[in-house]
Each structure stands twice: as C-alpha cells, then as structure tokens.
Amino acid sequence: LNPFQVYEGIFDGAFGTPRRSWVTVRDAMMLLCIGVGLAPAFKMRFWNIGAEGQITAGAMCATYFALFWADSIPQVPLLLLMCAAGAIGGGLWALVPAFFKARWGTNETLFTLMMNYIIIGVVKWLQGGPWEKIPRGSQQIEQFASNACLPRVAGVYCGWIVVLALTVFMFLYMKYTKHGYEIAVIGESENTARYAGMNVGWVIMRTMFLSGAIAGVVGFLLVSGANNTLYSGVAAGAGFTAITVAWLAQLNPFAMVGIS
C-alpha cells in the first residue's frame, strides 16, 4: 500500500466525521487524565499498574448514586456527588496496595495488577445480579437518567474541562508544593527521605490515594459522559495505555496533552 494512503486512512478514522472526532477527543482526554493520575505514583517509583481497577472502582461508586439517587437530587448536586464518590472509590481502591507496601513492603506491581481483576469481577456480578436492569437476563445495567449525565460543551461532554483543570493542578502540585518535593525525594532515595525526617509510609499512602482518586474521576467521566451506564469493561484498557502516555511524556502533565 501507498504509505501516504495509510496515514490518510488513520487521519480519516480519527477525524473524518464529527462522531469520529468526538470519540478521538474523548479517548485522548481519558488517556490524559489517567496519565496525570499515574504521574505522582511513578515519580515516587511506586509502580501503579492498577489504574484499570481504580477507574472501575470509581465508575462503580459513581453509578450507585446515578441509579438510586437520581430521582431525589437535582442534576448539579448529583453530578458533584457522583464525582466525589468516584474519586473516593478510586482512591480507596489504590490505598489498599499502598498500605501493604508501606506496612510490609509488598510488591506493588503484582498487587495493583491483581486488584484490577477483583473489581472487574465485582462489576460483572452487579451486572448479572443486584443492578441488572429489568427484565432480567440481559446482564446489563440500566442507562442513567438524564440528570446523571454530563452536559456537553463545544460538542463534547464537559469532562474535558475537568481533565484540563486536573492537568494544571498536577503540574503545580508536583513542581511547587511540599508534597511534590517529598514525592521526588522518595523517588530518588527512600533512605534519604527517612534521614530528612519524612514519613515515607504516609507519603506513599497519601500519594497513591491521590493517584487512585484521579483514576476514579475518570471512571465517573466515563459512566456519566461517554457511556451513560456501567459495565465490567468500562476502562477498556485505557489504564494500561496511559502508562505509555505517562512515560513518553517523562511524567510532565503538560507534555501528556500532546502524547495523549
């Protein structure tokens, strides 16, 4: 094949129609947000391979409020509650391996990887059990009510505004705050950090909670903006792809925009 035609096909597949452009922007924003969340953990040399599970945990927690609270809460408070639930769910799911690493020095790569499959299994159970839509047998969860769905801005659901805000926040957090400095020192040498009086275990747990919380926000954005429902493959491999984004950008949140 003519290589120019190949690249023309790639470009057409990404931007050839408004729908394709929307999907490209959506996927890029998700990769960017996950990469931004992974950055502080990787900077600390905590190898968080669990973003896939943290996204799913956040999506599951956000979905609870979309399914059972949508009738009693207006749209804006409901979306804020779903976002907070997603962040807390993702953060708590990431906190488990962080605690074991800080307390007993477990291998975080294996621990975070295995936790992905646990939470995916939980969502599969919800799909075919307590949250399955009626009539039973579809193995699907009900579509969200309109007030549990994010509105669109410039033709794309407004999650991209949240993602860009988080990108700026993470750049400032890692470069100009005390917490960011502690992350950098621990990444260079845990012994040096301890000699300087840093509580390494606490920093590990705090940083991983933040990393998981951002992944949980991605889960909220996916279920409330992109899919309007929850299913076991909600992360769709983005948690693994974003690892490449983070490393190619050398953990610089602004560089991740172009890489995504």
Side-chain angles (χ1 to χ4, degrees):
L1 291 176
N2 184 328
F4 293 103
Q5 290 179 332
V6 173
Y7 283 103
E8 181 183 352
I10 292 173
F11 184 85
D12 182 65
F15 302 105
T17 67
R19 171 67 182 175
R20 293 173 188 172
S21 299
W22 179 87
V23 171
T24 299
V25 171
R26 179 198 71 188
D27 292 349
M29 288 297 101
M30 293 304 101
L31 288 175
L32 171 60
C33 196
I34 302 164
V36 164
L38 290 173
F42 286 171
K43 185 76 171 178
M44 190 174 58
R45 297 191 181 277
F46 187 106
W47 311 120
N48 180 13
I49 315 298
E52 196 89 355
Q54 292 146 25
I55 294 166
T56 306
M60 182 185 71
C61 293
T63 296
Y64 168 78
F65 290 97
L67 294 179
F68 301 107
W69 291 57
D71 294 337
S72 56
I73 302 179
Q75 183 177 31
V76 173
L78 177 62
L79 289 173
L80 291 174
L81 186 59
M82 290 170 62
C83 183
I88 292 171
L92 290 177
W93 199 250
L95 194 59
V96 175
F99 172 77
F100 275 78
K101 172 72 172 181
R103 182 68 178 83
W104 292 292
T106 56
N107 185 305
E108 71 274 14
T109 304
L110 293 176
F111 206 128
T112 53
L113 180 63
M114 289 189 294
M115 287 194 69
N116 291 336
Y117 303 104
I118 295 173
I119 194 65
I120 289 171
V122 171
V123 173
K124 284 183 178 179
W125 170 71
L126 291 172
Q127 278 182 232
W131 291 2
E132 185 180 16
K133 69 180 181 181
I134 299 173
R136 304 290 184 180
S138 65
Q139 297 283 309
Q140 293 179 347
I141 294 171
E142 195 72 54
Q143 288 281 314
F144 291 177
S146 58
N147 63 327
C149 300
L150 286 169
R152 293 195 173 196
V153 176
V156 183
Y157 69 91
C158 64
W160 63 272
I161 300 174
V162 177
V163 173
L164 293 179
L166 284 173
T167 302
V168 174
F169 163 78
M170 187 54 68
F171 176 81
L172 297 175
Y173 179 83
M174 292 179 64
K175 192 170 181 64
Y176 295 109
T177 68
K178 177 187 175 184
H179 289 181
Y181 177 73
E182 289 174 339
I183 289 169
V185 173
I186 291 174
E188 290 297 326
S189 170
E190 287 191 16
N191 290 331
T192 301
R194 290 191 179 93
Y195 183 77
M198 296 179 188
N199 187 334
V200 173
W202 167 247
V203 174
I204 288 173
M205 290 190 290
R206 180 187 68 204
T207 304
M208 270 302 290
F209 182 86
L210 176 63
S211 180
I214 293 176
V217 170
V218 173
F220 155 70
L221 296 177
L222 285 171
V223 294
S224 64
N227 304 322
N228 302 139
T229 189
L230 173 69
Y231 58 97
S232 59
V234 64
F240 297 117
T241 307
I243 295 172
T244 308
V245 172
W247 279 116
L248 285 175
Q250 297 183 337
L251 307 183
N252 183 326
F254 289 151
M256 290 180 199
V257 177
I259 299 295
S260 297

